[in-house]
């Protein structure tokens, strides 16, 4: 930081010529870089088992993560892919992402994978995870969360109670 007198006060400005300037700027954009890498990794799955929706949630999404925090990622398998959660290709993709999260951040990656049927069950039972996703999920790729919930409702049920729960 460079200081300059200004009347009875002092002005501070960032010293862009300092040897650490570029490193500090890199640190200030680390979260965006992590999000970009997660997105790129998941989008590469189109050659394997594609996702219907992916987002980060929890403390990382809220910008509250620390050195002890997990990086939580929600991935919903594409119901039109013909694959299931037990598909070996899906498992390899999830394991690779969790491993990459650890390498990129030094923190554990918790990848929560689900399908549309299980997601519908979570919505119907008012699982707190759904509330968490609605509150702080950061969309990565695939269809956005509100559209995902509407699609799940359309595929799995249309009772008046469930429509109120989905809120989409």
């Amino acid at each position: 930081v460079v200081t300059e007198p200004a009347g009875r006060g002092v002005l501070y400005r960032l010293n862009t010529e300092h040897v650490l300037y570029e490193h500090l700027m890199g640190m200030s954009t680390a979260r965006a870089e992590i999000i970009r890498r997660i997105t790129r990794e998941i989008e590469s799955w189109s050659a394997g088992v594609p996702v219907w929706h992916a987002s980060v949630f929890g403390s990382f999404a809220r910008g509250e993560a620390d050195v002890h925090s997990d990086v939580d990622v929600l991935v919903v398998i594409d119901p039109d892919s013909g694959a299931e959660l037990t598909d070996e290709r899906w498992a390899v993709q999830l394991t690779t992402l969790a491993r990459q999260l650890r390498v990129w951040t030094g923190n554990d990656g918790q990848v929560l994978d689900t399908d549309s049927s299980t997601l519908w069950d979570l919505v119907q039972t008012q699982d707190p995870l759904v509330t968490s996703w609605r509150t702080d999920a950061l969309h990565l790729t695939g269809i956005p969360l509100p559209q995902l919930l509407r699609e799940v409702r359309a595929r799995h049920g249309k009772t008046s109670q469930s429509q109120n729960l989905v809120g989409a």
Side-chain angles (χ1 to χ4, degrees):
V1 175
V2 176
T3 60
E4 297 174 12
R8 289 188 282 172
V10 178
L11 293 177
Y12 298 91
R13 71 177 167 81
L14 187 58
N15 180 358
T16 58
E17 294 181 32
H18 193 284
V19 68
L20 294 178
Y21 170 77
E22 289 182 32
H23 302 286
L24 290 170
M25 292 297 95
M27 289 173 52
S28 71
T29 62
R31 184 169 178 266
E33 176 64 16
I34 293 164
I35 290 169
R36 188 186 66 75
R37 288 181 185 197
I38 296 168
T39 303
R40 186 180 64 217
E41 174 67 26
I42 293 171
E43 287 176 345
S44 77
W45 296 358
S46 62
V49 179
V51 299
W52 201 21
H53 167 84
S55 56
V56 292
F57 65 99
S59 62
F60 181 82
R62 291 188 304 272
E64 300 170 353
D66 61 28
V67 295
H68 304 292
S69 300
D70 295 336
V71 179
D72 298 303
V73 182
L74 168 65
V75 289
V76 181
I77 194 168
D78 186 338
D80 298 325
S81 69
E84 297 191 14
L85 294 175
T86 56
D87 189 305
E88 181 62 27
R89 298 170 303 158
W90 183 250
V92 167
Q93 291 171 173
L94 299 174
T95 302
T96 300
L97 178 58
R99 187 177 322 114
Q100 287 300 107
L101 286 167
R102 180 75 174 161
V103 169
W104 295 331
T105 67
N107 296 56
D108 288 333
Q110 298 298 321
V111 183
L112 175 61
D113 68 316
T114 190
D115 58 14
S116 66
S117 177
T118 305
L119 181 56
W120 177 244
D121 291 342
L122 293 170
V123 169
Q124 284 191 298
T125 61
Q126 300 182 48
D127 191 287
L129 273 174
V130 178
T131 303
S132 172
W133 299 331
R134 284 187 179 133
T135 303
D136 58 33
L138 293 176
H139 181 256
L140 298 173
T141 191
I143 64 175
L145 185 65
Q147 182 182 349
L148 173 70
L149 295 176
R150 284 191 300 273
E151 293 280 339
V152 166
R153 181 182 65 212
R155 288 176 185 253
H156 297 285
K158 296 183 181 179
T159 67
S160 59
Q161 179 186 10
S162 61
Q163 287 178 347
N164 290 335
L165 292 175
V166 172

